[in-house]
Amino acid sequence: MALEFDLTPKYSEKVVEGEGGEYRSWSSTQLPILSHTKVGAGRLLLHPRGFALPHYADSPKVGFVLQAGMVLANEPKEVVLKLKKGDLIPVPLGAVSWWFNDGDSDSNDDLEIVFLGDTSQAHFPGNITYFFIAGGGSMLGGFSTDFVKKAFGMDTNEEANKLVKSQNGVLVIKLDDTKTLPKPKQNEPNNNNLVYNNLEQCLKIESGFWSKVTKSQFPFLGEVGLCANHIRVEANAMTSPVYTCDSSTQVIYVVSGGGMIQVVGFNGKLVLESEIKAGHLVIVPRSFVVSMMAGHEGLECFSIITTPEPVIQNLAGKTSLMEALSCEVLQVSLNVTPDFQQNFISKMRLTSNSIISPP
């Protein structure tokens, strides 16, 4: 009996909100397909001077900067990076990071970043679980006073309690203008190896742009075992129907605009036909075929595929499966005449570049 998946696009749900910003996520309770495909996602929003306390997670993930700029520090040695819209930042499993919107407190420039990850090694597949170094619910705060005092060479219980209890904020706090944090070092040679800007590297094609990033182009991406895609489709254009030939899953986040999406699954059944809008998350299971059509505002999406070097097959276009099959096989498989087969292939070549079909 075939499995039935609910692939309905969903918005994130609020987890934590404070003066400094908020963190939202998609849970496997809200979206059960997450646990089946072992992927997870979340969204961090930091207002000016908002600071996400140092933490690590049980899942490798990729962060994509949607808006504004910020600073990230990552272990094993603290590296501070200045980021901008379109930046791609891998966060390896267990890496400690903090995030800061260094904008002026009087400005309205929020930092927004979406995280898409592989939760196959997570405690709860489908959910990215965070562990905090400081603040309410921190790992240090769970230890007894005696253990903290001994671990850090403290002389008194008062010192130990001050170390773990002075910060009671949870996940996101707001720093006043008197507080300073490390600044990015200019011309640091390793910084360019840790961040990749999709907008600067994208391939401009008819009716949009497309960027596929693997570890071949961005070696640090190999640390999280994922591939990233960024696509912008002009109004009324559509993406070619595609599927992954390996065991990988595609996780799609709608950055802006909107349109329609269709996904075809087991036995050629249309398992999803839905409107998609900015903020929606869609999961495409392995081997399922997906295509999207942009609305009047166009459509921009960021996605990951859960393998570092995915094998992707197009069903339409100049480098598609239909182009690869022989004329004879197409004629008997589709039960069409040679004239119809040649006409259909000629039209496909004219209207599709294998990535985006124009309006």
Side-chain angles (χ1 to χ4, degrees), residues 262-304:
Q262 292 190 355
V263 178
V264 177
F266 300 117
N267 300 315
K269 181 181 178 181
L270 183 65
V271 293
L272 176 65
E273 182 177 27
S274 174
E275 182 180 11
I276 47 175
K277 299 178 180 179
H280 270 155
L281 188 78
V282 182
I283 311 300
V284 183
R286 65 182 185 272
S287 304
F288 284 30
V289 182
V290 59
S291 180
M292 298 178 287
M293 184 176 292
H296 68 278
E297 295 181 348
L299 177 65
E300 182 181 0
C301 296
F302 173 73
S303 64
I304 62 164

Side-chain angles (χ1 to χ4, degrees), residues 199-219:
L199 297 179
E200 294 174 353
Q201 307 293 334
C202 66
L203 173 66
K204 291 179 172 60
I205 53 181
E206 184 181 3
S207 301
F209 69 73
W210 176 63
S211 172
K212 175 187 174 185
V213 188
T214 69
K215 65 179 182 180
S216 298
Q217 296 100 329
F218 183 27

Side-chain angles (χ1 to χ4, degrees), residues 226-356:
L226 302 170
C227 165
N229 291 280
H230 185 198
I231 191 167
R232 171 75 187 184
V233 184
E234 293 181 0
N236 303 316
M238 70 175 289
T239 63
S240 173
V242 299
Y243 64 95
T244 56
C245 300
D246 45 29
S247 60
S248 57
T249 296
Q250 188 172 10
V251 184
I252 302 171
Y253 177 79
V254 182
V255 176
S256 64
M260 295 294 297
I261 186 170
Q262 292 190 355
V263 178
V264 177
F266 300 117
N267 300 315
K269 181 181 178 181
L270 183 65
V271 293
L272 176 65
E273 182 177 27
S274 174
E275 182 180 11
I276 47 175
K277 299 178 180 179
H280 270 155
L281 188 78
V282 182
I283 311 300
V284 183
R286 65 182 185 272
S287 304
F288 284 30
V289 182
V290 59
S291 180
M292 298 178 287
M293 184 176 292
H296 68 278
E297 295 181 348
L299 177 65
E300 182 181 0
C301 296
F302 173 73
S303 64
I304 62 164
I305 299 176
T306 57
T307 185
E309 296 283 356
V311 181
I312 301 173
Q313 182 64 266
N314 293 293
L315 288 187
K318 297 175 182 176
T319 59
S320 68
L321 177 64
M322 292 297 186
E323 183 71 41
L325 290 172
S326 65
C327 299
E328 294 81 5
V329 168
L330 281 176
Q331 290 161 24
V332 297
S333 299
L334 299 174
N335 192 25
V336 296
T337 64
D339 286 344
F340 182 88
Q341 178 267 326
Q342 292 174 10
N343 187 42
F344 131 67
I345 290 294
S346 296
K347 288 183 176 180
M348 181 186 70
R349 290 170 180 168
L350 290 173
T351 60
S352 175
N353 56 28
S354 293
I355 302 171
I356 298 175

